[in-house]
Amino acid sequence: MTVLSLDLGPRLSNQNLYRAHTGDTICLQRCPELKGIQINLTCTNPVGEEIVLRQDADRAYFTLSSGGPYRVTWHIVVNPLPLNWTSVSMVTILADPVLTSTNSGPSLTIDQIAAQSHLTKCCGEVQRWGDVFRVSVESGYNTIHLTPVQELGISKSSYSLHSHHKISSSLNLNSGGGYEEDLEMLSRHLQDIHNKTGLFFLTDVVWNHVSICNREILSHPESYYNLYNTPNLIPAYLIDRSIHEFGNAQDNITDVQDLSSFEIKLRNHLLGTAQTLEKLYKIDLNKVLDVKKSTEASLCESQLNKKDINDLIKALWLVNYKEPEYAGDIDVGILRKFLEQRGVTSEPDQNSKISAAICHFNDVEVPTIVDQILNKVISAVMGTVKYRFLDEHGPKLSFGNVPIVDRYFHVSDITFTEELALDIYRKEDAQRIKTCNGWTAGESVSDMNSTMAYTNREVVIWGDSVKLRYGDRREDSPWLWDYMTKYTCDMASLFHGFRIDNCHNTPLHVGEELLRAARHVQPQLYIVAELFTGSEERDCEIINRMGINSCIRELSQSHSPRHLGELIYHYGESKPCGSFIHNIPHGDVVHQPGDENIPLGDQTCTEDNTPQLSLGSSRPHAMLMDQTHDNPCPFDQHPLPNVLALSGLMCAAKCSIGSNRGYDELVPHHIHVVEEERLYQGWSQSDDEDLKPAKKALIKLHQRLEDKGYYETFVDQAREDVVIVTRHHPDTCSKVLVVVATSWSEDSSLTRNYTVSLPGENVKVLLETEILSPQTLPKHTNNKDYITGLSGVKIDVRENPLSSKMVTVSKPDEGNLDIDLLLTPGCVIAVEVEPPQSSKTALQYFNSYILCPEKFDKDLDKVFSTLDLLDLNYVLYRCNEEERVDGCGGVYHIPHHGNLTYAGIVGFLQVLETVTKNNDTGHPLCRNLCEGWWMADYTVNRLKKKNLKLGFFLEEIFFAVEAVPNYTRPKVFYKIISSVYSACLRQIRKLIPTMKTSVGNSWFVEQLVLTSVQLVGKVGDTGIPVLLQDKESVASLAAGLPHFSHGFMRCWGRDTFIALPGLLIKTGRLDVARDLVVGFARTLRYGLIPNLLSERGHRPRYNCRDAVWWWCRSVKLLYKHQPSILQESVYRLFYKDDSPVSPQTPFVCTVFDVITEVLQRHAAGITFREENAGRELDEHLLDPGFNMTAGVDPETGFIRGGSRHNCGTWMDKVGSSSQAGNKGIPATPRDGSAIELVAMGYQTVSWMAELFESGIGTTSVVNMKTGSTHKTVSYREWSEMIKENFEDKFWCSGGYYGNANGYYRDTLGSESGGDEKLRPNQTFAMVIAPELFKPSHMSEALKTIGTNLAGLVGMSTLSPEDADYQPYYDTGNHGNDYRTAHGFNYHQGPEWVWCMGFYLRAKLRDFQHLKKDNPDCMSDDEIGQYFATVLAPHRAMIASDPYRGLTELTNKGGQHCPNSCPTQAWSSGCLLEFLVELEQSEFSGS
């Protein structure tokens, strides 16, 4: 089974090629972004019919039943569409056809095709075709390519057809009937030859033109390009007519001086035409201004961005100049709209500016445009004249006997004098002027309504043909469409494949439709074409749209041995050596994850054990030819020995191959498609003194390489004149070396020695062939009736020789070979080499054990059964800093690539995922593996250092495969490492039940669960105090990697307890959660827990007011799963606030006691100055900032504290720029009562009241400070006080930002003035204490938040309407802007990911409220789709991020922020909390 990932936007397009082969089953699998999203998926087959897909939740399946393009389209049903999404995406899968014999003979895959081109007119009558084609059979070919079999036009060009519906009379079919009878007779002849010889047949299809003598089109003028239906050709016609008129009056050109004089005269002659063109191109000002202002006129973005009205007018003219009356096409409404948007509103002022601009265009721009055209025209004409009459390599025509240049237009049955009298603006006359077809390199002339190629004389014109016009749709030219559809279907009934003539100038929609019709007749139609676009992207688009299977590439046009090697590398190397691509006969599929639950490196299987393999993008498939039939003779560019060399290299390539009839017979001249009238010789007339025996042996070698499975290719420019193509067998690692000695220079004409040294044994010579004599071209005499080649050329061919004349083998040491080669000019040598015995043994072990899941995976699972989650953290992850702290030396460094993200398995797979996807065997990681097993040694030694059984197990595995050939090491290493990773996942699933979810977000849940394994580990001194005096260090939760990986920066009190509910409680890691809760409880001081720890908690910093409340929340959530947490013993580090650490006689209490103390201390009021205050503690904070306060407002019960001099909540940025003036100043103090602290205070006292009421605890009151006195307040009274005051104090009905949208204040009573700022903190309160909120207010607030703060992956930390809003965070900003210098805007607009989790949880509850009040407001599926859509960018982020996590924050609109921590604990934890809650809701989709 072959898997294709359905992606977003332009990632999959017609510029990527995806090849598979007939019979494949394609699995369409959603990418991470699209999981859970509703999409409409359709697929059409090569004939345009929609396929019924077999579908399940995230996959759809179909089978490639025939060759051609299968188009898969998916429409994302989401409204509105998220930023950067494309609503409709499409990808084409091109199925390679199989040429199937009708008589049960052998079939051909496209890489087995060996075709020979023939000019049909030179084959003679069909009765002699059997003899003619026997020459091809005896030369080894299995396919015949014929030029069109139709009647030719007056030029006798093989491609200028008199009629597409008439078979050539030269075939002498004797059918006794008309066209249909001729088709039937020709079919019988071709079938008879096929039955006797096994030959398959291709033919050219000519869609773009017809001979000028064709009379059928005269009654259908809409079917060809003329001046009436394509008026933008009028300038081209006027120039063409003027040049023809000029050329008829010129004297002979005999030298360069005549040429210069000719150019001057031509330029002067064209001045009159230039004046006519200027009149055509000028805009009629009066006509423009006479048009009433258009009320419908609208400006597109490109028009709006024009610099001024002059630029706009030129742009409009360039679009509309094609019509004969150009002025009427300049929309004055657009001009007026443009001016209005620039402040010019009165009509007189607009008219004045429009008049001035049009006059400028007419007087300045038009003469410039015309001058540029004439310069191009003159250059083109002079180039043609020079080539035709003077160039040494040109035809050197006689002046006066032929036109100086070919005409671009044809007028039937009139003289040139009569032509001059035609009125080109009158319909009848304009239709008589037919446009000739031609050829262009690069720019296509398929769109005649926009091209300037005819005007500029850039077309190599075919003066014997008329260019056909299909229009944009069948209705534009119905007769032509019917005419060509029948022709195409008739040819499909006769032939196994098409070569598309002039393909890149064929309108794409025409090619598509005609080939669909042809595939109805012949489902396994093979399509080949030459493309001259000059752009591989454009080639790919044409290939995909038409379903072209192979692009013709020609070796004889090479100009050096290195160029030859490059051609073979680019077109003949289907899969590189050591390829990650699966080893199948054809089609490109990559070893990639197929299971949605395994994002990295695992090839999985379906229930029926069918491997799932990902479809990879590939290069265009080639038909590599030593010579094509429409290019000059190879002897014009190559010495005689190179003719053999070119064929040798061609046959060494892994692709279709081909040649031209005459090449093997050494015909020393071009067999011209127009001028040649002689016949090919039959087998009975030919001899063997040419290339045929050698070509037969070479094609036989090509077939052997394909049949025996040598699918991988390596091209080596061994030295300047020697190219070695090595074909590898991916399973056995045997190889065939095809050594070709080219012959370009004088040195290469000599016999020389060359030695190939390589590992191996048992060398077998498969083929030796060389030209014995002569080395230069012998004299040749043309036969007047038959096309004949050189005589007297001796070519020696030795297949499987018992004794080699050119190869000597020696063994310098065990397992290595020296192959000494005696190279003669043009020779080809093929030798087969088996790998050494040690490599065979290693490969046998790899194939029979590593690739056998029943054995290898079973043994891995036994090893992994001994590992816990902390072991798996070490096996999978650990960033560079974590490794170094523990003395492990850091992560692995790959030369020319850099450090891996992790020392564990994921570090390697993160790179290998991209390497395998692109089949990039040249990547530095692959090169490093090929040079040595250092990655394996690193992995084994690292695991053994921790005494993990896995290390010793892998040591045995890598030792067993150590001797595999070095180029296979990357895929061997990849398979082993990916299997280890899969075993890790299986063990994690056993240890973390959350991994076993089965609803729409299960993949994403699993990735977030893995971040729990990623971020929780034992790392050096993290500052967390041990729980007991004799207990080892506890595991710690890193705030993020790699920024917060070790030391006091690893564990933040706030970050730990924001992330803990998601990463530890929701994942069932309750023991780690308990240890962290108790560990931080030990550090309680002043009624707070610290934000930063050091020295095992002995020097903590108590500079935050919120960490203790996040801790209380975590205790409450943990209590639901582990009630005993409240009675856990806490060995306190500080007996009193001002006492030092007392480890010897610790004060012991319980977690419940700690919560009680927290509430009492806040009720009584907290005031202290940070210990060791000053620059050593915080180099930026001003002195007043070290004074800390916290407490309770006795009137409202709200938690409050802080000052404008410090930051007590998560928005804790303190400025550090003296230059900008923000040093020491808190950016976001949030002093007073912060909304989330009020909610967490309410949650805690309410819970404590419930506990007391259920019989837990001995007290339920606090002594609350009220001014200078205290009062006794119960927990229940306290909670009710908060609830009664919350809505009244925090609800803001709008107006602060100049609108009426309501939301909740961020703080209350802040001396820094931030109370009414719109921030996301209110969503934390909505989730933590929803009972505080009025449901209608919460709904309104969430709408306000969604509109103003919701970003792509995070929540903006401040409303964009706020004056302080600055959404781009940059710590390296050393400017003078107070708001942004040194990243002062950390929490003033950047979008934080963790906040999105709380926002979505609040939205979930809001939806539940809405559904309760109005069940029909939204369907459950619509709500589920909403959440799936919002989470799509998060899924994409975690799938592509090198650290495999969710980032800390992004800049505006989800833009990457370089200063953000790549994987942040609370980002993952809060999203995981939401997902688990969503899966338990009615909107989960389960």
Side-chain angles (χ1 to χ4, degrees), residues 163-164 350 516 522 695 960 970 1101 1242 1270 1318 1356 1367 1396:
S163 172
H164 289 70
Q350 290 177 354
R516 283 193 189 117
Q522 173 59 275
K695 182 62 74 70
R1101 187 174 182 195
Y1242 169 81
H1270 291 76
L1318 176 59
S1356 175
M1396 182 64 78

Side-chain angles (χ1 to χ4, degrees), residues 704-746:
R704 174 192 172 95
L705 295 173
E706 184 66 21
D707 295 343
K708 297 293 184 181
Y710 289 91
Y711 301 137
E712 298 177 352
T713 312
F714 177 73
V715 181
D716 180 23
Q717 192 76 43
R719 65 187 213 189
E720 181 59 30
D721 53 356
V722 177
V723 180
I724 302 178
V725 180
T726 305
R727 296 284 296 273
H728 291 256
H729 195 292
D731 294 328
T732 68
C733 288
S734 298
K735 62 187 70 176
V736 173
L737 281 68
V738 182
V739 184
V740 179
T742 64
S743 179
W744 254 286
S745 65
E746 291 184 7

Side-chain angles (χ1 to χ4, degrees), residues 239-250 269 273 416 420:
I239 291 170
D240 183 69
R241 192 174 69 179
S242 182
I243 292 171
H244 185 65
E245 181 182 35
F246 169 76
N248 287 341
Q250 296 310 302
H269 178 81
T273 306
F416 184 66
L420 292 173

Side-chain angles (χ1 to χ4, degrees), residues 1073-1091:
R1074 179 202 62 214
D1075 288 353
L1076 290 173
V1077 164
V1078 175
F1080 270 90
R1082 290 196 66 194
T1083 65
L1084 188 77
R1085 195 179 194 185
Y1086 314 114
L1088 303 173
I1089 67 167
N1091 199 30

Side-chain angles (χ1 to χ4, degrees), residues 102-171:
T102 55
N103 63 346
S104 302
S107 299
L108 293 181
T109 66
I110 65 173
D111 281 343
Q112 293 173 318
I113 291 174
Q116 189 178 44
S117 295
H118 290 69
L119 304 185
T120 299
K121 66 179 182 178
C122 295
C123 294
E125 300 176 350
V126 292
Q127 291 77 11
R128 69 185 300 268
W129 281 14
D131 193 37
V132 171
F133 297 149
R134 186 180 173 190
V135 175
S136 305
V137 174
E138 297 296 337
S139 302
Y141 298 98
N142 53 35
T143 304
I144 299 295
H145 160 233
L146 289 170
T147 57
V149 296
Q150 277 68 28
E151 192 74 57
L152 304 181
I154 55 174
S155 69
K156 298 303 179 184
S157 166
S158 295
Y159 292 94
S160 181
L161 308 186
H162 179 273
S163 172
H164 289 70
H165 292 180
K166 184 177 181 182
I167 303 298
S168 174
S169 58
S170 67
L171 303 189

Side-chain angles (χ1 to χ4, degrees), residues 1142-1184:
S1142 52
Q1144 300 303 319
T1145 57
F1147 164 51
V1148 182
C1149 66
T1150 65
V1151 170
F1152 184 87
D1153 296 332
V1154 172
I1155 300 173
T1156 303
E1157 182 177 340
V1158 168
L1159 296 178
Q1160 178 55 55
R1161 291 299 301 269
H1162 278 78
I1166 299 169
T1167 302
F1168 67 95
R1169 182 172 174 81
E1170 283 196 79
E1171 193 174 33
N1172 301 316
R1175 290 181 59 84
E1176 288 188 6
L1177 183 62
D1178 191 319
E1179 63 175 317
H1180 302 304
L1181 194 65
L1182 300 177
D1183 186 73

